Amino acid sequence: MTAQEPRRRSLEGRVSVGPLAAADLDRADEIFRTAFGTFLGVPDLFGTADYVRTRFAADPHATFAATVDGELAGSNFATNWGSVGFFGPLTVRPDLWDQGVGKSLMEPVMGCFETWGNRHVGLFTFAHSPKHLELYRRYGFWPRFLTAVMSKQVEASDSVPTPLTYAGLSDAERPEYLSACRALTDDVYEGLDLQREIVAAQAQGIGDAVLMPGGSGLDGLAVCHCGPGSEAGTDVCFIKFGAVRPGREAGDRFERLLDACDQLAAERGLGRLDAGMSLGRPDAYQRLVNRGFRTGLQGVTMHRPNEPGYSHPDAYVIDDWR
C-alpha cells in the first residue's frame, strides 16, 4: 500500500464461510482465474486447465466458500494424502484483497487437517510475496524449498512399451494394485497415500495412473492429468504426483517412470509433459533438466511443521502443492 492509497477496512464480521456449493463452481472458477491473472499479470494463465471443478469432484466436503453480503468472495480446497495434507488454490476476488477474506478461508482447511490427522501439511505459494508468506506463517507454515513447475515436449520411443495403467486394470485387479500403491508411497514417506488421487482421476475421466510393476511390488507410480477439463489443459499431460521405490537404483527407476509418462502422453496425442519438482530433491530435479524440462513457473512450498517431509535428496518424487 502506498501513502496515497486509502487503507482498506477489514471485512471480518461480514464474511461468512461454509461449504462450496455445486451451484457456485462457475463463479468460483471465474474468481480463481481472475485472482491469479491479476496477481501475476497473465490474464489467461490457466487456459482450459480446471482446478476448481476437479478438486470439488474429488472431495466436496473439503471445499470451502467465503461470501460477503451474500456474494461469493473466494474459495479454498483441502487435499488429504494420508499422513500428508495440503491446501489450495486459495483465491479471493481482487477487489476484496487484504480485508480478511483469505484468513477466514484458512480456518476450515486447518480443521480438515486436524480431523484427518495429517502429520505433515503444506502449501505452494509465491516466494516473492511477503504478504502470502506472512499470512501462512501465522498458521505455523514455514518456507522450505523452491518448487519448479517444469515442462518439455513429449517424446515417444518405440523401445518403451505401452505403460500399465489403473484404467486398464479389471475391477478385480484394482484393489490389489491400490494396496501396492499405498505400500510404495508408505516407503517414500510413512503414511503417504495417493489412492484418492488415483481413483479420482479415473472416475472423473480426467487422467490415469501409470503403474510400474517390479520384482517385489510396484517400482513406481504416476498420477497423470490429461488434456482440457483436467489440471493439465489442452495438449498437456501433467504429472500431478509421481514416485518410485526408494533405495539402490531409485534413480534408474525414476528414469523408467519418466519414460512411461512420456509414452502415456504420446499415446493420448498430447504434446507437452508438465511436472512439479521440489529443489529439495536435487538429483531428481537434475534428471528432469537433463531430459529437457524447463521451468515455466516457480514458487515455494511452506511446511508445517518446519521439516522436509519427503523433499530430501534421496526422494525421487514429482509433485507440486498448487
Side-chain angles (χ1 to χ4, degrees), residues 243-267:
V244 299
R245 183 163 48 85
R248 196 164 62 93
E249 300 181 356
D252 291 340
R253 290 191 283 273
F254 188 65
E255 296 285 356
R256 290 194 287 116
L257 183 65
L258 292 171
D259 286 341
C261 293
D262 238 339
Q263 196 69 14
L264 176 73
E267 292 180 3

Side-chain angles (χ1 to χ4, degrees), residues 100-170:
V101 179
K103 180 181 176 182
S104 72
L105 284 164
M106 285 297 299
E107 305 299 336
V109 298
M110 298 306 291
C112 280
F113 297 147
E114 183 176 350
T115 299
W116 294 336
N118 309 114
R119 188 170 74 251
H120 192 81
V121 295
L123 65 125
F124 175 105
T125 192
F126 302 105
H128 66 287
S129 173
K131 176 177 70 174
H132 288 84
L133 297 180
E134 176 59 19
L135 170 63
Y136 303 133
R137 188 197 60 77
R138 293 175 186 174
Y139 291 88
F141 294 94
W142 289 88
R144 291 288 310 201
F145 305 107
L146 289 178
T147 293
V149 182
M150 310 176 78
S151 302
K152 68 177 284 291
Q153 293 301 304
V154 170
E155 299 173 12
S157 172
D158 293 337
S159 63
V160 178
T162 295
L164 176 67
T165 65
Y166 181 74
L169 300 174
S170 68

Side-chain angles (χ1 to χ4, degrees), residues 88-243:
L90 189 167
T91 51
V92 175
R93 274 170 32 200
D95 63 302
L96 299 176
W97 284 355
D98 304 321
Q99 298 180 68
V101 179
K103 180 181 176 182
S104 72
L105 284 164
M106 285 297 299
E107 305 299 336
V109 298
M110 298 306 291
C112 280
F113 297 147
E114 183 176 350
T115 299
W116 294 336
N118 309 114
R119 188 170 74 251
H120 192 81
V121 295
L123 65 125
F124 175 105
T125 192
F126 302 105
H128 66 287
S129 173
K131 176 177 70 174
H132 288 84
L133 297 180
E134 176 59 19
L135 170 63
Y136 303 133
R137 188 197 60 77
R138 293 175 186 174
Y139 291 88
F141 294 94
W142 289 88
R144 291 288 310 201
F145 305 107
L146 289 178
T147 293
V149 182
M150 310 176 78
S151 302
K152 68 177 284 291
Q153 293 301 304
V154 170
E155 299 173 12
S157 172
D158 293 337
S159 63
V160 178
T162 295
L164 176 67
T165 65
Y166 181 74
L169 300 174
S170 68
D171 290 342
E173 292 173 312
R174 287 178 179 174
E176 178 182 354
Y177 272 91
L178 286 176
S179 295
C181 290
R182 171 63 187 268
L184 169 63
T185 53
D186 189 69
D187 283 344
V188 171
Y189 184 78
E190 185 179 2
L192 179 63
D193 186 358
L194 269 292
Q195 293 180 78
R196 183 187 301 271
E197 292 291 348
I198 294 167
V199 172
Q202 190 273 333
Q204 294 181 50
I206 57 174
D208 207 346
V210 170
L211 306 171
M212 199 169 74
S216 55
L218 282 182
D219 274 354
L221 71 91
V223 183
C224 299
H225 282 215
C226 300
S230 73
E231 293 180 19
T234 299
D235 202 35
V236 178
C237 176
F238 167 50
I239 307 173
K240 182 165 184 176
F241 180 90

